[in-house]
Amino acid sequence: MKSLDTLDWVVIAAYFLVLLGVAWWVILQKQKNTEDYFLAGRNIGWFMVGASIFASNIGSEHVVGLAGNGAGDKMPLLIYELHAWLVLMLGWVFLPFYARSGVFTMPEFLEKRFDARSRWVLSVVSLIAYILTKVSVTIYAGGVVVSALLGIPFWIGAVATVVLTGIYTVLGGMRAVVYTETIQAVVLVLGAGILTVLGLDAVGGWGELKATIGPDYFNMWRPNSDPDYPWLPLFITSTVVGVWYWCTDQVIVQRVLTARNIKEGRRGSIFGALLKLMPVFLFLIPGVVALGLKMQGKLDWDSPDQAFPVLMSNLMPSGLRGLVAAGLLAALMSSLASVFNSCSTLFTLDIYKKLKPNKPEAELVKTGRIATFFVVGLGLLWIPIITKLSDGLYEYLQNVQAYISPPIAAVFLLGIFYKRINSNGAIATLVGGFIIGFLKLTLEIVQSSFAEGSFLFNLADINWLVFGAYFFALCIAIAVIVSMFYPAPSQAQLAGLTFGSITKEQKETNKSSYNIWDIIASVVVVIIVIYIMISFSTLSL
């Protein structure tokens, strides 16, 4: 792996000076109340909303993990990158309900739809989920990339990423995150796009790449008898995880809530959906290229998760290599910054403010900043567990999310589409689902201590995709059955929060927030998703 030269370091330094300059400019602006600090004053346009959605999503799991999938024969996991249609669902289906309710957080929405207990449970579960997934994964990948690029020990790289990100996130709040993410998204798309072109040229073109690794390698659809990635459980579980992540998760939804109105928020989600199609070409294909070059004897790396940084350092010319390296580091930092801000939002508004309702706005902002440091510390402690659950970063992330997402996705979907679901049904699903998911995760961690063939060993050994699909069905059943034992919610409680309780005026307001071009753009996204799904199969290749 080539080390960075003087010109690379100059470019990296210049890039981060620009980022810090933007962050500092934001810090100097008004940050006195919670709406300004956590939602950027709800005054962001569609372009920045979409870019922020993209940059929040494109982090460690893509820079390191998705390319690692491409290099490590895990093509079926590509389906998680075809969730652009679920980003559209956020804008078209969920956003109008969130915007009408005027909420800051997703737990706050559940309180309005159900009761205060739901808000407490989702707040705690979400914070735990962030520590197990987003925080620890991003810090881990930051260490991998920084150590690979700069030639320093892993833990130094991980901690350095946290410190740099924490400074501007804590001080600048959501506005600093959104503005810096927009810059980072542009740099990363351009840099990774150039790397894809250079990589395909180095390997001899697309035809030569397929000939080197074999056309079957590109097939993302495997039979249901496949022990690792059966296609039907893969499709069901990935969709459930997608609904949770794109339509109900604080990190993503917080981006559209910063929009100045529903129209800007929806267009931001459509733009974000278009950008969401890029990771396949920006990260997965370079991973496959890195494998092809390794098979041709032109490149060497030890772990698939090293494929992208090694490919970049060897193929990019001086200066441009530094810019892409800065973009990679910035992407890691942006996804980490997003999680930091969302964690502090959840803790401050859904937990601390509930316990201390009379605290002034300035005190709440200060509390949000302090909360960030505790979340980061817990994320660092969880990193050693990651390697026990999977041999790939991206698969670890999807694995854990398959155990966290079903109860949350079930409660939000039923809460909006089915008026009969009540607070007791929601609580039973959230609490029961969290216990079941956490038990399955724990069993996997300690699986080696069970006798092979024993009940607990077999339970821990159930394929995570198969488990996720049945788990979601169980959560739906719990919510419906428990709700039937208790009275239905009143019409006043449901007003404007479900499809069956939307007023005529609210319907008209929603219709006026989009036009034919919004519909056409959304249809184009769906067509591209279907085309990619068909293309990545042995039938066409």
Side-chain angles (χ1 to χ4, degrees):
M1 183 165 172
K2 293 181 181 177
S3 58
L4 302 178
D5 60 23
T6 303
L7 182 57
D8 291 325
W9 282 109
V10 170
V11 171
I12 290 174
Y15 180 76
F16 277 100
L17 281 174
V18 171
L19 277 188
L20 290 173
V22 171
W24 181 249
W25 173 78
V26 172
I27 290 168
L28 294 177
Q29 311 301 306
K30 183 184 73 172
Q31 299 283 343
K32 294 181 179 179
N33 60 54
T34 49
E35 182 170 84
D36 207 59
Y37 185 77
F38 294 117
L39 291 181
R42 295 189 195 259
N43 194 36
I44 303 297
W46 67 266
F47 182 87
M48 294 187 72
V49 169
S52 181
I53 289 174
F54 176 73
S56 299
N57 173 242
I58 301 305
S60 56
E61 69 272 25
H62 296 87
V63 175
V64 176
L66 186 56
N69 281 351
D73 195 19
K74 298 186 178 191
M75 199 61 68
L77 294 179
L78 163 66
I79 195 169
Y80 284 90
E81 296 312 307
L82 300 180
H83 281 166
W85 65 280
L86 291 170
V87 188
L88 294 177
M89 186 183 288
L90 168 63
W92 287 101
V93 177
F94 287 84
L95 175 60
F97 292 101
Y98 297 154
R100 275 194 296 269
S101 64
V103 298
F104 279 65
T105 68
M106 294 301 91
E108 187 182 359
F109 178 79
L110 284 194
E111 181 178 36
K112 294 200 172 196
R113 172 61 178 87
F114 299 112
D115 62 9
R117 295 175 302 163
S118 304
R119 181 174 186 172
W120 273 103
V121 173
L122 184 58
S123 300
V124 174
V125 169
S126 296
L127 285 171
I128 294 172
Y130 289 155
I131 292 165
L132 297 184
T133 58
K134 295 177 171 62
V135 176
S136 57
V137 165
T138 306
I139 295 172
Y140 173 82
V144 170
V145 172
V146 172
S147 62
L149 290 177
L150 309 184
I152 59 178
F154 165 77
W155 280 104
I156 294 177
V159 174
T161 306
V162 171
V163 172
L164 285 172
T165 309
I167 291 173
Y168 73 78
T169 308
V170 169
L171 295 177
M174 187 62 177
R175 199 186 302 272
V177 173
V178 170
Y179 275 74
T180 53
E181 279 178 341
T182 303
I183 300 171
Q184 291 157 0
V186 173
V187 172
L188 192 59
V189 166
L190 290 175
I194 293 171
L195 180 59
T196 301
V197 173
L198 292 177
L200 286 171
D201 181 64
V203 82
W206 183 252
E208 184 62 29
L209 178 61
K210 286 196 294 182
T212 300
I213 63 176
D216 288 345
Y217 189 88
F218 289 89
N219 184 25
M220 64 177 283
W221 303 109
R222 298 183 183 178
N224 276 326
S225 58
D226 187 88
D228 297 316
Y229 308 112
W231 78 267
L232 186 57
L234 173 68
F235 180 78
I236 295 172
T237 300
S238 66
T239 300
V240 172
V241 171
V243 169
W244 165 72
Y245 181 84
W246 291 106
C247 302
T248 74
D249 185 57
Q250 183 66 28
V251 172
I252 297 300
V253 176
Q254 195 165 334
R255 268 93 203 120
V256 296
L257 293 182
T258 64
R260 59 178 62 102
N261 51 46
I262 292 180
K263 178 186 286 188
E264 295 293 315
R266 180 181 290 112
R267 286 182 176 171
S269 71
I270 295 171
F271 181 46
L274 283 167
L275 294 175
K276 177 60 185 166
L277 297 168
M278 293 185 178
V280 176
F281 309 101
L282 298 179
F283 303 106
L284 185 97
I285 296 303
V288 180
V289 167
L291 176 63
L293 289 172
K294 184 176 183 179
M295 294 174 71
Q296 293 175 356
K298 299 177 181 177
L299 199 68
D300 188 46
W301 34 265
D302 298 322
S303 163
D305 283 344
Q306 296 175 345
F308 194 94
V310 171
L311 183 72
M312 185 213 71
S313 70
N314 280 273
L315 294 189
M316 284 290 200
S318 177
L320 192 56
R321 183 171 57 223
L323 184 62
V324 177
L328 288 178
L329 297 173
L332 293 166
M333 291 168 63
S334 74
S335 61
L336 199 56
S338 303
V339 179
F340 285 173
N341 188 264
S342 295
C343 284
S344 65
T345 304
L346 283 172
F347 177 80
T348 306
L349 301 183
D350 289 316
I351 296 177
Y352 185 78
K353 191 176 181 180
K354 281 289 185 180
L355 296 172
K356 306 280 187 178
N358 298 320
K359 288 290 183 181
E361 294 278 296
E363 182 71 21
L364 293 176
V365 171
K366 181 181 177 181
T367 301
R369 288 170 172 160
I370 295 172
T372 300
F373 292 106
F374 286 98
V375 172
V376 171
L378 292 172
L380 285 168
L381 293 175
W382 185 255
I383 287 175
I385 304 295
I386 293 177
T387 53
K388 289 188 177 183
L389 291 177
S390 173
D391 58 355
L393 183 69
Y394 193 87
E395 184 171 352
Y396 159 79
L397 184 67
Q398 308 307 342
N399 185 317
V400 176
Q401 288 179 343
Y403 303 150
I404 293 171
S405 60
I408 300 173
V411 167
F412 272 89
L413 284 170
L414 290 173
I416 287 177
F417 284 98
Y418 189 24
K419 293 196 298 182
R420 185 61 181 79
I421 298 298
N422 56 36
S423 58
N424 288 321
I427 282 293
T429 306
L430 290 172
V431 174
F434 176 73
I435 293 172
I436 294 170
F438 194 76
L439 284 175
K440 178 65 166 75
L441 183 62
T442 304
L443 287 175
E444 285 194 19
I445 294 172
V446 299
Q447 181 180 2
S448 59
S449 63
F450 302 132
E452 191 167 343
S454 65
F455 174 75
L456 290 178
F457 181 90
N458 291 335
L459 192 61
D461 204 44
I462 295 175
N463 180 283
W464 58 280
L465 293 168
V466 174
F467 181 87
Y470 282 112
F471 186 21
F472 178 67
L474 177 62
C475 290
I476 294 287
I478 292 173
V480 173
I481 293 171
V482 173
S483 291
M484 294 304 169
F485 284 97
Y486 297 93
S490 66
Q491 199 64 29
Q493 183 182 352
L494 296 176
L497 298 178
T498 69
F499 276 103
S501 61
I502 303 174
T503 65
K504 185 177 180 180
E505 292 76 13
Q506 289 171 337
K507 288 180 181 178
E508 290 301 318
T509 300
N510 190 44
K511 283 183 180 179
S512 66
S513 67
Y514 61 86
N515 58 32
I516 186 64
W517 294 108
D518 297 318
I519 297 173
I520 291 173
S522 299
V523 171
V524 168
V525 170
V526 174
I527 291 173
I528 294 174
V529 169
I530 295 172
Y531 175 77
I532 295 175
M533 284 185 173
I534 295 172
S535 297
F536 279 86
S537 69
T538 51
L539 292 177
S540 62
L541 289 167

